[in-house]
Amino acid sequence: MIQIFSTFEHSMYLELAITALEKYGIRKERILVVPLANRKEERNLFDTLHRADGVSLIDIGMAMATGFSVIGASIGFILSWGPIYWGLIGAASGFVLGFCIKLFYLKTVDKKKQLLKGEHAEVILVVDCDDAMAERVEDCLWDHLAIGVARSPI
């Protein structure tokens, strides 16, 4: 006996895959469908030492700080405080502006994408089948647009 695990989006293709598996002779007792719950809480914007999500808030700020400091230093040659002060002022203002742009983007635009993505919950489908049927079951799941498929001997 082999267990085949697959993930699907909650759609008609999942129903079609289950129907096709039943037509292949796999009983309903051998098919397990588990819907995954979506995350309800909001993501933290600031990472901690023990948990990071891979989203950087300072990437645009650093790029804009570099550009603004070059512009500030160039203009500083004709202004009264000189190029060093105006370069530092440009770097600070560019970083703050870039940080605010990224923060605004993550709070509004990216949050809307996450909410839309969250509506399409994934479902795990577990099928117990014989070794002889395993290849056929896998092909059936791939044909019905499974996101991923894996085998595990019982």
Side-chain angles (χ1 to χ4, degrees), residues 58-118:
I58 64 168
D59 53 352
I60 294 175
M62 288 298 196
M64 290 186 76
T66 303
F68 279 37
S69 67
V70 169
I71 293 170
S74 299
I75 294 174
F77 280 109
I78 57 174
L79 296 176
S80 62
W81 286 357
I84 294 176
Y85 284 124
W86 283 107
L88 292 173
I89 291 169
S93 61
F95 180 78
V96 169
L97 181 64
F99 183 83
C100 291
I101 289 171
K102 184 70 174 217
L103 190 63
F104 175 75
Y105 175 78
L106 288 176
K107 283 290 205 181
T108 58
V109 178
D110 201 38
K111 187 174 183 179
K112 289 178 187 174
K113 285 183 188 177
Q114 285 179 358
L115 291 176
L116 290 176
K117 189 188 299 183

Short mmCIF file of all heavy atoms in Angstrom, two decimals, residues 58-118:
data_model
loop_
_atom_site.label_atom_id
_atom_site.label_comp_id
_atom_site.label_asym_id
_atom_site.label_seq_id
_atom_site.Cartn_x
_atom_site.Cartn_y
_atom_site.Cartn_z
N ILE A 58 13.82 48.29 4.09
CA ILE A 58 14.83 49.31 3.85
C ILE A 58 15.45 49.24 2.45
O ILE A 58 16.32 50.04 2.14
CB ILE A 58 15.95 49.23 4.90
CG1 ILE A 58 16.71 47.90 4.82
CG2 ILE A 58 15.40 49.45 6.29
CD1 ILE A 58 17.97 47.89 5.63
N ASP A 59 15.02 48.33 1.59
CA ASP A 59 15.67 48.20 0.29
C ASP A 59 15.46 49.43 -0.58
O ASP A 59 16.42 49.97 -1.15
CB ASP A 59 15.21 46.93 -0.43
CG ASP A 59 13.70 46.82 -0.54
OD1 ASP A 59 12.99 47.64 0.07
OD2 ASP A 59 13.24 45.89 -1.22
N ILE A 60 14.25 49.92 -0.67
CA ILE A 60 13.99 51.13 -1.46
C ILE A 60 14.62 52.35 -0.77
O ILE A 60 15.15 53.24 -1.43
CB ILE A 60 12.48 51.33 -1.67
CG1 ILE A 60 11.93 50.20 -2.53
CG2 ILE A 60 12.19 52.67 -2.32
CD1 ILE A 60 10.43 50.24 -2.70
N GLY A 61 14.59 52.36 0.57
CA GLY A 61 15.18 53.46 1.32
C GLY A 61 16.68 53.59 1.09
O GLY A 61 17.20 54.70 0.92
N MET A 62 17.38 52.47 1.03
CA MET A 62 18.82 52.51 0.79
C MET A 62 19.14 52.98 -0.63
O MET A 62 20.08 53.76 -0.84
CB MET A 62 19.45 51.13 1.03
CG MET A 62 19.50 50.76 2.46
SD MET A 62 20.53 51.92 3.37
CE MET A 62 20.81 51.03 4.85
N ALA A 63 18.37 52.51 -1.59
CA ALA A 63 18.60 52.94 -2.97
C ALA A 63 18.34 54.44 -3.13
O ALA A 63 19.12 55.16 -3.77
CB ALA A 63 17.71 52.14 -3.92
N MET A 64 17.26 54.91 -2.53
CA MET A 64 16.96 56.34 -2.63
C MET A 64 17.96 57.17 -1.82
O MET A 64 18.28 58.30 -2.20
CB MET A 64 15.53 56.60 -2.18
CG MET A 64 14.51 56.05 -3.19
SD MET A 64 12.83 56.47 -2.80
CE MET A 64 12.79 58.17 -3.30
N ALA A 65 18.45 56.65 -0.70
CA ALA A 65 19.46 57.36 0.08
C ALA A 65 20.74 57.53 -0.73
O ALA A 65 21.35 58.61 -0.72
CB ALA A 65 19.76 56.60 1.37
N THR A 66 21.12 56.51 -1.49
CA THR A 66 22.30 56.61 -2.34
C THR A 66 22.12 57.69 -3.40
O THR A 66 22.99 58.55 -3.60
CB THR A 66 22.60 55.25 -3.00
OG1 THR A 66 22.76 54.27 -1.99
CG2 THR A 66 23.85 55.33 -3.86
N GLY A 67 20.99 57.63 -4.08
CA GLY A 67 20.74 58.61 -5.15
C GLY A 67 20.63 60.03 -4.62
O GLY A 67 21.22 60.96 -5.19
N PHE A 68 19.91 60.21 -3.52
CA PHE A 68 19.74 61.55 -2.97
C PHE A 68 21.05 62.09 -2.40
O PHE A 68 21.29 63.30 -2.44
CB PHE A 68 18.65 61.55 -1.89
CG PHE A 68 17.25 61.62 -2.43
CD1 PHE A 68 16.89 60.95 -3.59
CD2 PHE A 68 16.28 62.34 -1.77
CE1 PHE A 68 15.60 61.01 -4.08
CE2 PHE A 68 14.98 62.40 -2.25
CZ PHE A 68 14.64 61.74 -3.41
N SER A 69 21.89 61.21 -1.85
CA SER A 69 23.16 61.71 -1.32
C SER A 69 24.09 62.17 -2.44
O SER A 69 24.80 63.17 -2.30
CB SER A 69 23.85 60.64 -0.48
OG SER A 69 24.26 59.56 -1.28
N VAL A 70 24.06 61.48 -3.57
CA VAL A 70 24.87 61.91 -4.71
C VAL A 70 24.37 63.26 -5.23
O VAL A 70 25.17 64.17 -5.50
CB VAL A 70 24.85 60.84 -5.83
CG1 VAL A 70 25.45 61.37 -7.11
CG2 VAL A 70 25.57 59.59 -5.38
N ILE A 71 23.06 63.38 -5.35
CA ILE A 71 22.49 64.65 -5.82
C ILE A 71 22.77 65.76 -4.81
O ILE A 71 23.15 66.88 -5.18
CB ILE A 71 20.99 64.49 -6.08
CG1 ILE A 71 20.75 63.55 -7.27
CG2 ILE A 71 20.33 65.85 -6.34
CD1 ILE A 71 19.31 63.15 -7.46
N GLY A 72 22.59 65.45 -3.51
CA GLY A 72 22.85 66.45 -2.47
C GLY A 72 24.31 66.89 -2.44
O GLY A 72 24.61 68.08 -2.28
N ALA A 73 25.23 65.94 -2.60
CA ALA A 73 26.66 66.30 -2.60
C ALA A 73 27.01 67.13 -3.83
O ALA A 73 27.82 68.06 -3.75
CB ALA A 73 27.52 65.04 -2.54
N SER A 74 26.40 66.79 -4.96
CA SER A 74 26.68 67.56 -6.18
C SER A 74 26.17 68.99 -6.06
O SER A 74 26.87 69.94 -6.44
CB SER A 74 26.02 66.88 -7.38
OG SER A 74 26.53 65.58 -7.56
N ILE A 75 24.98 69.14 -5.55
CA ILE A 75 24.42 70.48 -5.39
C ILE A 75 25.11 71.23 -4.25
O ILE A 75 25.20 72.46 -4.25
CB ILE A 75 22.89 70.39 -5.17
CG1 ILE A 75 22.21 69.84 -6.42
CG2 ILE A 75 22.30 71.73 -4.80
CD1 ILE A 75 20.74 69.57 -6.27
N GLY A 76 25.62 70.46 -3.27
CA GLY A 76 26.28 71.08 -2.11
C GLY A 76 27.52 71.88 -2.45
O GLY A 76 27.94 72.72 -1.66
N PHE A 77 28.11 71.66 -3.64
CA PHE A 77 29.27 72.45 -4.02
C PHE A 77 28.93 73.92 -4.24
O PHE A 77 29.80 74.78 -4.11
CB PHE A 77 29.92 71.87 -5.29
CG PHE A 77 30.79 70.68 -5.02
CD1 PHE A 77 30.39 69.42 -5.41
CD2 PHE A 77 32.00 70.83 -4.38
CE1 PHE A 77 31.19 68.32 -5.16
CE2 PHE A 77 32.81 69.73 -4.12
CZ PHE A 77 32.39 68.48 -4.51
N ILE A 78 27.66 74.19 -4.58
CA ILE A 78 27.29 75.59 -4.81
C ILE A 78 26.49 76.17 -3.65
O ILE A 78 26.23 77.37 -3.62
CB ILE A 78 26.50 75.76 -6.13
CG1 ILE A 78 25.26 74.88 -6.14
CG2 ILE A 78 27.38 75.46 -7.32
CD1 ILE A 78 24.35 75.10 -7.34
N LEU A 79 26.08 75.33 -2.68
CA LEU A 79 25.32 75.82 -1.53
C LEU A 79 26.27 76.14 -0.37
O LEU A 79 27.44 75.76 -0.36
CB LEU A 79 24.27 74.78 -1.10
CG LEU A 79 23.18 74.49 -2.15
CD1 LEU A 79 22.27 73.38 -1.65
CD2 LEU A 79 22.37 75.74 -2.45
N SER A 80 25.74 76.83 0.63
CA SER A 80 26.59 77.37 1.69
C SER A 80 27.15 76.30 2.64
O SER A 80 28.26 76.46 3.14
CB SER A 80 25.81 78.41 2.49
OG SER A 80 24.68 77.80 3.10
N TRP A 81 26.47 75.22 2.94
CA TRP A 81 26.95 74.25 3.92
C TRP A 81 27.98 73.29 3.34
O TRP A 81 28.63 72.56 4.08
CB TRP A 81 25.80 73.45 4.50
CG TRP A 81 24.96 74.22 5.48
CD1 TRP A 81 25.18 75.49 5.92
CD2 TRP A 81 23.80 73.75 6.12
NE1 TRP A 81 24.21 75.86 6.79
CE2 TRP A 81 23.33 74.80 6.95
CE3 TRP A 81 23.08 72.58 6.11
CZ2 TRP A 81 22.20 74.69 7.73
CZ3 TRP A 81 21.95 72.48 6.89
CH2 TRP A 81 21.51 73.52 7.69
N GLY A 82 28.07 73.19 2.06
CA GLY A 82 29.08 72.34 1.45
C GLY A 82 28.53 70.95 1.09
O GLY A 82 27.44 70.56 1.47
N PRO A 83 29.33 70.19 0.35
CA PRO A 83 28.86 68.91 -0.18
C PRO A 83 28.68 67.82 0.88
O PRO A 83 27.82 66.95 0.73
CB PRO A 83 29.94 68.51 -1.17
CG PRO A 83 31.15 69.27 -0.78
CD PRO A 83 30.67 70.53 -0.14
N ILE A 84 29.43 67.83 1.96
CA ILE A 84 29.31 66.76 2.96
C ILE A 84 27.98 66.86 3.70
O ILE A 84 27.24 65.87 3.82
CB ILE A 84 30.49 66.79 3.94
CG1 ILE A 84 31.77 66.45 3.19
CG2 ILE A 84 30.26 65.81 5.09
CD1 ILE A 84 33.02 66.55 4.01
N TYR A 85 27.66 68.04 4.18
CA TYR A 85 26.39 68.20 4.89
C TYR A 85 25.20 67.92 3.97
O TYR A 85 24.25 67.25 4.37
CB TYR A 85 26.27 69.60 5.51
CG TYR A 85 27.10 69.78 6.74
CD1 TYR A 85 28.03 70.82 6.82
CD2 TYR A 85 26.97 68.94 7.82
CE1 TYR A 85 28.80 71.00 7.95
CE2 TYR A 85 27.74 69.11 8.95
CZ TYR A 85 28.65 70.13 9.01
OH TYR A 85 29.41 70.31 10.13
N TRP A 86 25.23 68.46 2.77
CA TRP A 86 24.11 68.26 1.86
C TRP A 86 24.03 66.81 1.37
O TRP A 86 22.94 66.28 1.11
CB TRP A 86 24.18 69.23 0.69
CG TRP A 86 23.74 70.60 1.11
CD1 TRP A 86 24.52 71.69 1.30
CD2 TRP A 86 22.41 70.99 1.47
NE1 TRP A 86 23.77 72.75 1.75
CE2 TRP A 86 22.46 72.35 1.85
CE3 TRP A 86 21.19 70.36 1.50
CZ2 TRP A 86 21.34 73.05 2.27
CZ3 TRP A 86 20.06 71.07 1.90
CH2 TRP A 86 20.15 72.40 2.28
N GLY A 87 25.15 66.12 1.30
CA GLY A 87 25.13 64.69 0.99
C GLY A 87 24.47 63.89 2.10
O GLY A 87 23.67 62.98 1.84
N LEU A 88 24.79 64.23 3.37
CA LEU A 88 24.16 63.55 4.50
C LEU A 88 22.67 63.88 4.61
O LEU A 88 21.84 63.01 4.91
CB LEU A 88 24.88 63.92 5.80
CG LEU A 88 26.30 63.38 5.94
CD1 LEU A 88 26.96 63.97 7.19
CD2 LEU A 88 26.27 61.87 6.00
N ILE A 89 22.33 65.14 4.36
CA ILE A 89 20.92 65.53 4.36
C ILE A 89 20.17 64.79 3.25
O ILE A 89 19.05 64.28 3.46
CB ILE A 89 20.78 67.06 4.22
CG1 ILE A 89 21.29 67.76 5.47
CG2 ILE A 89 19.33 67.45 3.93
CD1 ILE A 89 21.44 69.26 5.33
N GLY A 90 20.76 64.70 2.09
CA GLY A 90 20.13 63.97 0.97
C GLY A 90 19.98 62.49 1.28
O GLY A 90 18.95 61.88 0.97
N ALA A 91 21.00 61.88 1.91
CA ALA A 91 20.92 60.47 2.26
C ALA A 91 19.80 60.22 3.27
O ALA A 91 19.03 59.27 3.13
CB ALA A 91 22.26 60.00 2.81
N ALA A 92 19.72 61.08 4.30
CA ALA A 92 18.68 60.90 5.32
C ALA A 92 17.29 61.09 4.73
O ALA A 92 16.37 60.30 4.99
CB ALA A 92 18.92 61.88 6.47
N SER A 93 17.12 62.13 3.92
CA SER A 93 15.79 62.36 3.35
C SER A 93 15.42 61.28 2.34
O SER A 93 14.26 60.86 2.26
CB SER A 93 15.73 63.75 2.72
OG SER A 93 16.68 63.87 1.68
N GLY A 94 16.37 60.79 1.57
CA GLY A 94 16.09 59.70 0.63
C GLY A 94 15.72 58.41 1.34
O GLY A 94 14.81 57.69 0.92
N PHE A 95 16.41 58.11 2.45
CA PHE A 95 16.09 56.91 3.20
C PHE A 95 14.69 57.00 3.80
O PHE A 95 13.92 56.05 3.73
CB PHE A 95 17.11 56.67 4.31
CG PHE A 95 16.82 55.44 5.12
CD1 PHE A 95 17.13 54.19 4.62
CD2 PHE A 95 16.21 55.54 6.36
CE1 PHE A 95 16.84 53.05 5.36
CE2 PHE A 95 15.92 54.41 7.10
CZ PHE A 95 16.24 53.16 6.60
N VAL A 96 14.37 58.13 4.41
CA VAL A 96 13.05 58.29 5.02
C VAL A 96 11.95 58.21 3.96
O VAL A 96 10.92 57.55 4.16
CB VAL A 96 12.96 59.62 5.80
CG1 VAL A 96 11.55 59.94 6.22
CG2 VAL A 96 13.88 59.57 7.02
N LEU A 97 12.17 58.84 2.80
CA LEU A 97 11.18 58.79 1.73
C LEU A 97 11.00 57.36 1.20
O LEU A 97 9.87 56.89 1.03
CB LEU A 97 11.59 59.73 0.60
CG LEU A 97 10.62 59.81 -0.59
CD1 LEU A 97 9.29 60.40 -0.14
CD2 LEU A 97 11.24 60.64 -1.69
N GLY A 98 12.08 56.66 0.98
CA GLY A 98 12.00 55.28 0.50
C GLY A 98 11.36 54.35 1.51
O GLY A 98 10.57 53.46 1.16
N PHE A 99 11.68 54.52 2.80
CA PHE A 99 11.07 53.73 3.86
C PHE A 99 9.56 53.96 3.90
O PHE A 99 8.78 53.01 4.02
CB PHE A 99 11.71 54.09 5.19
CG PHE A 99 11.20 53.28 6.35
CD1 PHE A 99 11.72 52.02 6.61
CD2 PHE A 99 10.22 53.78 7.18
CE1 PHE A 99 11.25 51.27 7.68
CE2 PHE A 99 9.74 53.04 8.25
CZ PHE A 99 10.27 51.78 8.50
N CYS A 100 9.14 55.21 3.77
CA CYS A 100 7.71 55.52 3.80
C CYS A 100 6.99 54.95 2.58
O CYS A 100 5.86 54.46 2.70
CB CYS A 100 7.50 57.04 3.88
SG CYS A 100 7.99 57.74 5.46
N ILE A 101 7.63 55.00 1.42
CA ILE A 101 7.04 54.42 0.21
C ILE A 101 6.83 52.92 0.39
O ILE A 101 5.77 52.38 0.09
CB ILE A 101 7.91 54.72 -1.03
CG1 ILE A 101 7.81 56.20 -1.39
CG2 ILE A 101 7.50 53.85 -2.21
CD1 ILE A 101 8.80 56.64 -2.46
N LYS A 102 7.84 52.22 0.89
CA LYS A 102 7.74 50.77 1.07
C LYS A 102 6.71 50.43 2.14
O LYS A 102 5.93 49.48 1.99
CB LYS A 102 9.11 50.20 1.45
CG LYS A 102 9.15 48.71 1.57
CD LYS A 102 9.02 48.03 0.22
CE LYS A 102 9.22 46.54 0.37
NZ LYS A 102 9.91 45.94 -0.71
N LEU A 103 6.66 51.19 3.21
CA LEU A 103 5.68 50.95 4.27
C LEU A 103 4.27 51.16 3.74
O LEU A 103 3.37 50.36 4.01
CB LEU A 103 5.97 51.89 5.45
CG LEU A 103 5.20 51.63 6.73
CD1 LEU A 103 5.56 50.27 7.28
CD2 LEU A 103 5.53 52.71 7.75
N PHE A 104 4.05 52.21 2.96
CA PHE A 104 2.75 52.46 2.36
C PHE A 104 2.37 51.33 1.42
O PHE A 104 1.23 50.86 1.42
CB PHE A 104 2.78 53.80 1.60
CG PHE A 104 1.52 54.08 0.84
CD1 PHE A 104 0.37 54.49 1.49
CD2 PHE A 104 1.48 53.93 -0.54
CE1 PHE A 104 -0.79 54.74 0.79
CE2 PHE A 104 0.33 54.17 -1.26
CZ PHE A 104 -0.81 54.58 -0.59
N TYR A 105 3.33 50.86 0.62
CA TYR A 105 3.07 49.76 -0.32
C TYR A 105 2.66 48.49 0.42
O TYR A 105 1.70 47.82 0.04
CB TYR A 105 4.31 49.51 -1.18
CG TYR A 105 4.18 48.32 -2.09
CD1 TYR A 105 3.45 48.41 -3.27
CD2 TYR A 105 4.76 47.10 -1.76
CE1 TYR A 105 3.30 47.31 -4.11
CE2 TYR A 105 4.62 46.02 -2.58
CZ TYR A 105 3.90 46.12 -3.75
OH TYR A 105 3.75 45.03 -4.56
N LEU A 106 3.38 48.14 1.48
CA LEU A 106 3.07 46.92 2.21
C LEU A 106 1.74 47.02 2.96
O LEU A 106 1.05 46.01 3.11
CB LEU A 106 4.19 46.59 3.19
CG LEU A 106 5.48 46.09 2.57
CD1 LEU A 106 6.54 45.89 3.64
CD2 LEU A 106 5.26 44.80 1.82
N LYS A 107 1.40 48.21 3.43
CA LYS A 107 0.15 48.37 4.17
C LYS A 107 -1.07 48.41 3.27
O LYS A 107 -2.15 48.02 3.70
CB LYS A 107 0.19 49.67 4.99
CG LYS A 107 1.02 49.57 6.23
CD LYS A 107 0.33 48.68 7.21
CE LYS A 107 0.75 48.99 8.61
NZ LYS A 107 0.11 48.12 9.57
N THR A 108 -0.93 48.87 2.03
CA THR A 108 -2.12 49.01 1.17
C THR A 108 -2.13 48.00 0.03
O THR A 108 -2.96 47.11 0.00
CB THR A 108 -2.20 50.44 0.59
OG1 THR A 108 -1.01 50.72 -0.13
CG2 THR A 108 -2.39 51.46 1.68
N VAL A 109 -1.21 48.10 -0.89
CA VAL A 109 -1.24 47.30 -2.11
C VAL A 109 -0.99 45.83 -1.81
O VAL A 109 -1.73 44.96 -2.25
CB VAL A 109 -0.20 47.83 -3.13
CG1 VAL A 109 -0.19 46.98 -4.38
CG2 VAL A 109 -0.51 49.28 -3.47
N ASP A 110 0.06 45.51 -1.06
CA ASP A 110 0.41 44.12 -0.78
C ASP A 110 -0.63 43.46 0.12
O ASP A 110 -0.88 42.27 0.01
CB ASP A 110 1.79 44.06 -0.14
CG ASP A 110 2.43 42.70 -0.28
OD1 ASP A 110 2.25 42.08 -1.33
OD2 ASP A 110 3.09 42.25 0.68
N LYS A 111 -1.25 44.23 1.00
CA LYS A 111 -2.29 43.68 1.87
C LYS A 111 -3.49 43.25 1.04
O LYS A 111 -4.09 42.21 1.31
CB LYS A 111 -2.69 44.71 2.91
CG LYS A 111 -3.64 44.18 3.94
CD LYS A 111 -3.89 45.21 5.01
CE LYS A 111 -4.78 44.66 6.09
NZ LYS A 111 -5.01 45.64 7.15
N LYS A 112 -3.83 44.02 0.01
CA LYS A 112 -4.94 43.64 -0.86
C LYS A 112 -4.63 42.36 -1.61
O LYS A 112 -5.48 41.50 -1.79
CB LYS A 112 -5.26 44.76 -1.84
CG LYS A 112 -5.89 45.97 -1.20
CD LYS A 112 -6.14 47.05 -2.21
CE LYS A 112 -6.62 48.32 -1.54
NZ LYS A 112 -6.74 49.42 -2.49
N LYS A 113 -3.37 42.19 -2.05
CA LYS A 113 -2.98 40.95 -2.73
C LYS A 113 -3.08 39.76 -1.79
O LYS A 113 -3.51 38.69 -2.20
CB LYS A 113 -1.54 41.06 -3.25
CG LYS A 113 -1.39 41.92 -4.47
CD LYS A 113 0.06 41.90 -4.92
CE LYS A 113 0.32 42.89 -6.02
NZ LYS A 113 1.73 42.92 -6.39
N GLN A 114 -2.68 39.94 -0.54
CA GLN A 114 -2.76 38.84 0.43
C GLN A 114 -4.20 38.47 0.71
O GLN A 114 -4.53 37.29 0.85
CB GLN A 114 -2.08 39.23 1.73
CG GLN A 114 -0.59 39.23 1.67
CD GLN A 114 0.01 39.66 2.99
OE1 GLN A 114 -0.69 40.00 3.93
NE2 GLN A 114 1.32 39.64 3.06
N LEU A 115 -5.08 39.46 0.79
CA LEU A 115 -6.48 39.15 1.03
C LEU A 115 -7.08 38.40 -0.14
O LEU A 115 -7.85 37.47 0.04
CB LEU A 115 -7.27 40.44 1.30
CG LEU A 115 -6.96 41.16 2.60
CD1 LEU A 115 -7.74 42.46 2.69
CD2 LEU A 115 -7.28 40.27 3.79
N LEU A 116 -6.74 38.80 -1.36
CA LEU A 116 -7.24 38.08 -2.52
C LEU A 116 -6.67 36.67 -2.58
O LEU A 116 -7.36 35.72 -2.94
CB LEU A 116 -6.88 38.85 -3.81
CG LEU A 116 -7.62 40.16 -4.03
CD1 LEU A 116 -7.09 40.84 -5.28
CD2 LEU A 116 -9.11 39.92 -4.16
N LYS A 117 -5.40 36.53 -2.24
CA LYS A 117 -4.76 35.22 -2.27
C LYS A 117 -5.38 34.33 -1.20
O LYS A 117 -5.52 33.13 -1.39
CB LYS A 117 -3.27 35.36 -2.03
CG LYS A 117 -2.50 34.08 -2.25
CD LYS A 117 -1.06 34.19 -1.83
CE LYS A 117 -0.31 35.23 -2.59
NZ LYS A 117 1.11 35.29 -2.22
N GLY A 118 -5.76 34.89 -0.09
CA GLY A 118 -6.30 34.11 1.00
C GLY A 118 -7.67 33.52 0.71
O GLY A 118 -8.10 32.59 1.36
#
